[in-house]
Amino acid sequence: MKKTFALIFLFCCWLTQELMAQETKLVHGKYVFEVSDNDDITLKDAKLKCIALAKAKAIKEEFGEMVTSDVIESNVETNGESTSSKYWENTVAIARGDWNRDTQDPEISVEYINGKLIFTAEVWGEASEIVQAKTELEWVVQKEDAGKKVATGQFNNGERIYMKFRSPADGYLAVYLIEDDDIVSCLLPDKKDTDGKFPIKASQNYTLFDAENNPGTVSYKMTTKRSQENNQLVIIYSPNPFVKCNDISRDSRHPNTINTHDFQKWLLRCQRQDRDMVVNKRNVRILNNQ
């Protein structure tokens, strides 16, 4: 009897934690969506998109959103001299909730004003807050100095990059390099991993891109034609299987690539579909003293 009571008590505690972790509330949202004569979208799709945006707005107003924003600075050169700096920003925003059900049928109206169709959608429903439990990852960017691998955020032109990595749980890993010219290179999984996945074992120390000690591993050099270049490393980890983005193959000396916009769209879709996914970013600088 005591054992049964203890099990019931533990179950109740677990249920309470689950309810606290995913708070459910009634939400209401309204959104205005404009379509011009040049937009290639059907009337039906425009209505559905307007309703979806109204639901997203209702969730954001109730629970907020998860936003990551990274600003990269780089020097613009004229006649070999650095004259100014440019900044570009990558932003990913995800609503902190899921739409569970409609509590009232959506209402939508359409007006034609100044050559544009103006859709207005109003929605009522029940939504649950998303609370993410992030996996704690250990990773260090390295280069070789006097025969030893040392932590760094700065490379000289032509130096090899290494990365130490460890996760507390089994999972899958991808590593990307956002370069200064709107190119994102896929460092991991590399070209020979044709299934597009790189499995990770729990509590195992990895030294990535170290071809000397791990035969068959692809190694990379950090290079630039400018006097300096500011790039960004992105690591993506999940306990759930995921496949790298649909990139373009280059020659044997270079990793596959994708443009920054398409990479961010792919990453946003992945994060929406996998709430366990962890994305970490770090800036790295390449100096060219020649």
Side-chain angles (χ1 to χ4, degrees), residues 7-66:
L7 289 173
I8 293 173
F9 175 75
L10 289 173
F11 174 77
C12 290
C13 291
W14 171 82
L15 183 60
T16 301
Q17 290 175 344
E18 288 295 304
L19 292 174
M20 289 177 62
Q22 287 201 329
E23 184 180 5
T24 300
K25 287 190 176 182
L26 296 177
V27 295
H28 166 256
K30 193 173 184 179
Y31 193 86
V32 178
F33 179 61
E34 295 184 0
V35 178
S36 71
D37 293 335
N38 297 323
D39 291 330
D40 185 17
I41 186 171
T42 66
L43 188 65
K44 180 181 178 181
D45 288 341
K47 288 180 178 180
L48 291 174
K49 185 171 183 178
C50 190
I51 291 172
L53 291 170
K55 291 179 178 179
K57 183 179 179 182
I59 293 172
K60 289 179 181 180
E61 288 177 349
E62 182 62 45
F63 300 119
E65 61 185 5
M66 298 170 281

Side-chain angles (χ1 to χ4, degrees), residues 11-271:
F11 174 77
C12 290
C13 291
W14 171 82
L15 183 60
T16 301
Q17 290 175 344
E18 288 295 304
L19 292 174
M20 289 177 62
Q22 287 201 329
E23 184 180 5
T24 300
K25 287 190 176 182
L26 296 177
V27 295
H28 166 256
K30 193 173 184 179
Y31 193 86
V32 178
F33 179 61
E34 295 184 0
V35 178
S36 71
D37 293 335
N38 297 323
D39 291 330
D40 185 17
I41 186 171
T42 66
L43 188 65
K44 180 181 178 181
D45 288 341
K47 288 180 178 180
L48 291 174
K49 185 171 183 178
C50 190
I51 291 172
L53 291 170
K55 291 179 178 179
K57 183 179 179 182
I59 293 172
K60 289 179 181 180
E61 288 177 349
E62 182 62 45
F63 300 119
E65 61 185 5
M66 298 170 281
V67 179
T68 60
S69 182
D70 300 279
V71 178
I72 305 298
E73 176 187 3
S74 62
N75 291 326
V76 177
E77 293 186 3
T78 304
N79 298 325
E81 295 184 0
S82 179
T83 58
S84 63
S85 295
K86 68 174 182 177
Y87 297 86
W88 53 275
E89 183 175 14
N90 294 321
T91 302
V92 174
I94 305 172
R96 283 188 182 273
D98 286 319
W99 190 271
N100 296 335
R101 64 184 181 91
D102 294 340
T103 56
Q104 183 177 326
D105 290 338
E107 294 182 1
I108 189 162
S109 62
V110 185
E111 297 178 281
Y112 188 74
I113 303 174
N114 297 327
K116 293 182 179 180
L117 283 173
I118 311 297
F119 295 82
T120 302
E122 192 167 5
V123 296
W124 298 262
E126 181 186 89
S128 297
E129 183 181 15
I130 295 171
V131 179
Q132 291 181 290
K134 293 295 187 181
T135 305
E136 292 289 337
L137 305 175
E138 292 184 19
W139 64 291
V140 180
V141 181
Q142 295 179 312
K143 69 177 181 180
E144 204 161 52
D145 184 18
K148 295 182 179 180
K149 292 181 177 63
V150 297
T152 187
Q154 184 168 290
F155 294 82
N156 293 318
N157 186 45
E159 288 185 317
R160 295 190 184 277
I161 183 174
Y162 306 95
M163 197 176 86
K164 287 181 64 175
F165 179 86
R166 188 172 67 190
S167 164
D170 289 352
Y172 297 83
L173 180 67
V175 181
Y176 287 88
L177 182 69
I178 300 178
E179 301 179 35
D180 210 14
D181 48 2
D182 198 34
I183 289 177
V184 182
S185 295
C186 181
L187 306 186
L188 192 79
D190 58 44
K191 289 183 176 181
K192 64 179 176 53
D193 296 321
T194 54
D195 62 353
K197 297 191 289 286
F198 189 84
I200 289 292
K201 292 295 183 183
S203 303
Q204 183 171 325
N205 291 317
Y206 290 86
T207 301
L208 304 173
F209 319 131
D210 187 358
E212 184 176 345
N213 295 316
N214 299 294
T217 298
V218 176
S219 62
Y220 301 101
K221 290 182 179 180
M222 302 292 280
T223 60
T224 181
K225 295 180 180 179
R226 304 182 180 97
S227 61
Q228 71 171 30
E229 188 173 322
N230 294 284
N231 295 172
Q232 189 176 60
L233 273 172
V234 182
I235 68 164
I236 306 166
Y237 165 86
S238 177
N240 310 307
F242 70 94
V243 177
K244 71 171 188 173
C245 64
N246 191 7
D247 47 30
I248 299 171
S249 181
R250 291 196 289 179
D251 61 67
S252 59
R253 298 182 298 110
H254 295 90
N256 290 357
T257 61
I258 188 172
N259 67 62
T260 304
H261 177 71
D262 289 342
F263 171 73
Q264 293 292 357
K265 284 174 58 180
W266 167 80
L267 184 56
L268 178 58
R269 288 196 301 270
C270 289
Q271 289 180 284

